[in-house]
Amino acid sequence: VWIVPNLLFNRVAFIGIGLIGSSMAKRMLKEGMAKELVACSRSSDTRQKALDLGLVSKTYEDPAKAVKGADLVVIATPVGSYSDIAQSIASVIDLNTIITDVGSVKKAVVDSVKPYLQFPNKFVPGHPIAGTEFSGPEAGFSELFEGRWTILTPDMQTDEEAVNKIICMWEGMGSKVEIMSSEHHDMVLAITSHLPHLIAYTIVGTATELEEDLRREVMKYSASGFRDFTRIAASDPIMWRDIFLNNKEATLDVLQRFSEDLTVLQKAIRRSDGEALEDLFSRTRAVRRDILEL
Amino acid sequence: VWIVPNLLFNRVAFIGIGLIGSSMAKRMLKEGMAKELVACSRSSDTRQKALDLGLVSKTYEDPAKAVKGADLVVIATPVGSYSDIAQSIASVIDLNTIITDVGSVKKAVVDSVKPYLQFPNKFVPGHPIAGTEFSGPEAGFSELFEGRWTILTPDMQTDEEAVNKIICMWEGMGSKVEIMSSEHHDMVLAITSHLPHLIAYTIVGTATELEEDLRREVMKYSASGFRDFTRIAASDPIMWRDIFLNNKEATLDVLQRFSEDLTVLQKAIRRSDGEALEDLFSRTRAVRRDILEL
């Protein structure tokens, strides 16, 4: 038997093989992280694509069949499906199976998965902060996680060895790893990701409701600001529906702060208060500098 | 005397030589569009940079001196300064001088420049829809306008030959040119550019007011949405202050529509109305497709 130095798992089962799942599979293959990769998808089209792309050796429609014999299960579907998935795989997985996920919200994920698991200490919730506006297995690429952060949210009960293996896996994919509580993750991401998406969806939605002529011109002259928003607002609809439904509290909280600030700015414009505008615009410019210096 | 085929002007005077002015100067030099370029700036630092970068052969602090003998004057300062500039150059320019500008709003620009001009028919208001989040003469590059739109907003009185020359100039810089009324320009740009900037400034501003720890984390995990907003919100503060002060009506109008749509979305999240969310997110995804197909 050859010893593969990067080998972490025997059989990895992906539940869902879209942008994130397929990018992980590509990188796992490249690094020799697992002996066998398999995938589960409800869509026969996706299953066929995953095979055609050589991402996995077997595909399944039924999650319970997919996870059989796997020592790692990666849940990579929209988070609204997690509870059903946890229920269907619970009886099949054993003590040696680590379960992780890649969902963009963490508290709701933990709440909808752990109650069904026989060995909840083997569940290591995770979130790679990486993505594009494209979706599906054909959108994946092995460098997606390179230099990006992955946040893990284990709790006091989570098995330490399982956490370490998941850290190794993400570092092997080029990612930097940070650990925090699921509640804290959801608050931070509400600001950095969920609110920006909500705003982008709204502003692009506002444009779709314009009279036809004006709408065409908005598309045509979209270069200056609006175009960036349309890229963000082109993200997977089901995935984002589930994010907002599952991070309701934190999203509504930051949305409230945003609305208050927007009202202040609106008033400054109405009153022609140039000083207030300049002051805000100078502060926000400094934020960009801070980020680029990180 | 050599005949330079692309020669359009003898002496071009830039009033303001920031990102846009310096990019125009670089391209004019490259194409041989003018015999001589000069620039005016209130900042001695900017004047020195413009000379050091070889963008212009002479610099001036006083607009009236800069425009003397120019057959093209390009106003490329924040739009709040236009009225003062128009007043100081009005008596110096003659019948043969074309005046144009690059301001992001057009109605207020026309209103603040034309009344002072002896030959208002030689004023061709313009707006190249191009830019970056960087500013100053060192930020310019000759390809900035390549493939982008420039909107001109002449009126019934504007000299046709002057308009044609400005069209030639922009096309020579690689830009596509469109003509519309200044009012219409301001409405379209309020949606495609001014509102997105306003929103980006607000959301980044909201983040700056967070508690220090959370703020640091927001910077750290900014990859997923927020980072794009910080780039937009890093745009020149004075320029943008002046845009909002000078396109108040249209900006407040689209902001009102946006706020209404945001309230609807907020309510959908609060009520866990997944169908409404999915419906909007699918519509906005289609907009991206439309734009990429243009």
Side-chain angles (χ1 to χ4, degrees), chain B residues 3 5 10 47 73 78 85 92 95 135 140 159 178 190 206 214 277:
Chain B
I3 292 166
N10 281 311
R47 292 198 300 274
V73 173
I85 289 167
V92 190
L95 183 59
S135 37
D159 182 72
E178 194 72 76
T206 303
L214 194 53
L277 297 180

Side-chain angles (χ1 to χ4, degrees), chain B residues 20-165:
Chain B
I20 301 293
S22 66
S23 295
M24 292 177 73
K26 281 197 170 175
R27 188 62 179 249
M28 283 184 167
L29 291 171
K30 202 173 159 185
E31 306 286 340
M33 281 188 193
K35 286 194 189 150
E36 191 185 14
L37 304 182
V38 303
C40 164
S41 173
R42 282 190 309 188
S43 146
S44 63
D45 183 44
T46 299
R47 292 198 300 274
Q48 193 55 51
K49 276 185 191 152
L51 289 172
D52 292 348
L53 290 163
L55 299 174
V56 295
S57 57
K58 286 194 199 80
T59 61
Y60 303 85
E61 193 178 353
D62 178 1
K65 285 182 183 147
V67 303
K68 219 168 175 187
D71 51 349
L72 176 68
V73 173
V74 179
I75 308 179
T77 52
V79 295
S81 61
Y82 277 31
S83 164
D84 284 349
I85 289 167
Q87 289 175 66
S88 40
I89 66 175
S91 63
V92 190
I93 47 180
D94 63 29
L95 183 59
N96 299 313
T97 311
I98 298 172
I99 306 176
T100 191
D101 82 303
V102 298
S104 305
V105 302
K106 294 269 67 75
K107 174 137 181 25
V109 156
V110 172
D111 292 347
S112 65
V113 169
K114 273 182 84 171
Y116 301 107
L117 299 181
Q118 224 183 319
F119 310 101
N121 60 325
K122 289 300 182 78
F123 178 45
V124 185
H127 176 209
I129 305 182
T132 72
E133 70 273 32
F134 304 107
S135 37
E138 66 277 23
F141 55 99
S142 63
E143 306 301 302
L144 179 58
F145 312 107
E146 200 68 59
R148 312 300 288 271
W149 286 99
T150 296
I151 297 176
L152 303 180
T153 64
D155 58 25
M156 302 293 282
Q157 282 88 49
T158 315
D159 182 72
E160 209 174 309
E161 208 187 319
V163 175
N164 285 336
K165 259 194 147 173

Side-chain angles (χ1 to χ4, degrees), chain A residues 192-223:
Chain A
T192 60
S193 177
H194 307 170
L195 179 62
H197 275 80
L198 192 66
I199 298 303
Y201 279 124
T202 305
I203 201 169
V204 177
T206 303
T208 65
E209 285 175 2
L210 297 168
E211 315 80 89
E212 184 55 25
D213 283 7
L214 196 51
R215 187 175 175 277
R216 243 201 317 274
E217 283 182 307
V218 167
M219 307 291 144
K220 186 168 168 183
Y221 305 114
S222 67

